[in-house]
Amino acid sequence: MKIAIKVAMGVEYMGSDFHGWQLQKSGIRTVQQVVEKALSSVADHPVRVFCSGRTDAGVHAIEQVIHFETSADREDKAWLFGGNVNLPHDVNFVWVKRVDEDFHARFNAHARRYHYKIHNTPVRSALMAKHTLWEPRVLEIEAMSKSAECLLGEHDFSAFRGSLCQAKSPIKTIEFIKLTQHGNEILLDIKANAFLHHMVRNIVGTLLKVGRGEKPVEWVKEVLISKDRKKAGATAPPQGLYFIKAFYPNL
């Protein structure tokens, strides 16, 4: 197939009923699988997509960025609306843009942003069960915020690295990390140049121990310095995590 066009798109999805982003063996429902199927129908040839950052099972996305190459010359609205017609209810294309031939959704991204949502109330919510982490114990958000400050900047984040992480280096730079509370809802907003596997969820699991009063504020810095995953908190569940967006020089 002669490649003539490279296209980038934004993808929104609810990850609850997916086994993550990445294409897996036949019969396993993944976001990449349904996205490629939808775009292949529009292109009238097999399409392989590349994303800005893979997400695990149960993790959601507000604006995942993908790119693909095609020989099919379609109008932007054909990719957008034609693609959406072929997608299931829990995935949606939100924008489309033709990009230069050297654009890559993963390698050109210079930063990524995530949110983690916590429903902090004694009574669980049936409606929010797949969209937030339910934490019945009262959390001290000021203590969590203060302990998170030590994570800002460039560090070795080995203590927050998942065992299956394939990143070449554990050294990453967190540009900002902020916790806010509105009623019973707590939001962690975090942006970094890149993230290790499970890094955000491991940070959340660690901050929760401070919020519950199980550990002092200074403990998070001790965990960071230790570079030992065993010293950090448990990995927080996936349903509270949202991939917000990736940042590019010219997109």
Side-chain angles (χ1 to χ4, degrees):
M1 179 183 72
K2 181 179 179 181
I3 303 300
I5 300 167
K6 183 174 280 191
V7 180
M9 301 185 77
V11 189
E12 174 190 56
Y13 53 87
M14 188 60 62
S16 306
D17 296 326
F18 288 100
H19 292 272
W21 167 268
Q22 189 174 4
L23 196 66
Q24 298 184 39
K25 62 183 180 180
S26 178
I28 302 297
R29 188 174 189 255
T30 69
V31 184
Q32 184 179 1
Q33 173 203 17
V34 300
V35 166
E36 290 185 349
K37 182 179 180 181
L39 293 174
S40 295
S41 296
V42 178
D44 199 27
H45 68 71
V47 170
R48 173 55 54 91
V49 304
F50 300 86
C51 73
S52 52
R54 298 171 183 171
T55 51
D56 292 330
V59 176
H60 321 295
I62 303 300
E63 190 182 314
Q64 173 74 270
V65 178
I66 65 168
H67 84 263
F68 61 93
E69 296 177 328
T70 178
S71 59
D73 190 5
R74 306 280 190 262
E75 294 184 6
D76 287 353
K77 63 181 181 180
W79 295 117
L80 184 62
F81 297 110
N84 281 337
V85 166
N86 290 286
L87 284 172
H89 72 281
D90 43 4
V91 187
N92 197 57
F93 294 126
V94 293
W95 57 262
V96 58
K97 181 179 181 180
R98 296 197 182 194
V99 290
D100 295 336
E101 62 179 16
D102 59 350
F103 176 84
H104 196 287
R106 178 184 174 189
F107 299 123
N108 289 155
H110 60 79
R112 295 162 179 83
R113 185 177 183 181
Y114 284 88
H115 283 174
Y116 195 94
K117 299 182 180 181
I118 302 171
H119 187 56
N120 189 207
T121 176
V123 180
R124 67 180 183 177
S125 168
L127 296 179
M128 302 178 70
K130 292 185 177 182
H131 313 302
T132 62
L133 165 66
W134 173 48
E135 173 53 61
R137 289 158 288 191
V138 175
L139 296 175
E140 296 294 334
I141 189 171
E142 290 186 10
M144 294 171 69
S145 297
K146 190 171 182 180
S147 65
E149 292 177 0
C150 70
L151 302 175
L152 286 168
E154 183 180 86
H155 301 283
D156 182 328
F157 285 96
S158 293
F160 304 98
R161 183 177 190 168
S163 60
L164 300 179
C165 184
Q166 298 178 352
K168 294 181 179 179
S169 171
I171 298 176
K172 307 299 175 186
T173 302
I174 293 182
E175 298 181 19
F176 69 74
I177 180 169
K178 183 179 181 181
L179 287 110
T180 54
Q181 183 169 12
H182 300 282
N184 294 326
E185 309 307 316
I186 294 175
L187 176 69
L188 172 76
D189 187 358
I190 184 169
K191 179 182 178 184
N193 65 332
F195 289 89
L196 302 169
H197 186 233
H198 284 175
M199 180 171 158
V200 178
R201 291 166 60 188
N202 290 337
I203 287 174
V204 171
T206 303
L207 294 178
L208 282 172
K209 293 182 77 68
V210 175
R212 296 173 187 137
E214 298 170 7
K215 295 289 184 179
V217 169
E218 298 78 14
W219 175 69
V220 174
K221 186 173 183 179
E222 294 173 5
V223 170
L224 176 67
I225 293 173
S226 76
K227 305 177 186 177
D228 185 354
R229 175 68 191 98
K230 294 179 181 179
K231 294 187 181 298
T235 304
Q239 69 269 19
L241 185 60
Y242 294 74
F243 183 100
I244 300 301
K245 68 178 299 181
F247 298 83
Y248 300 87
N250 300 304
L251 183 65

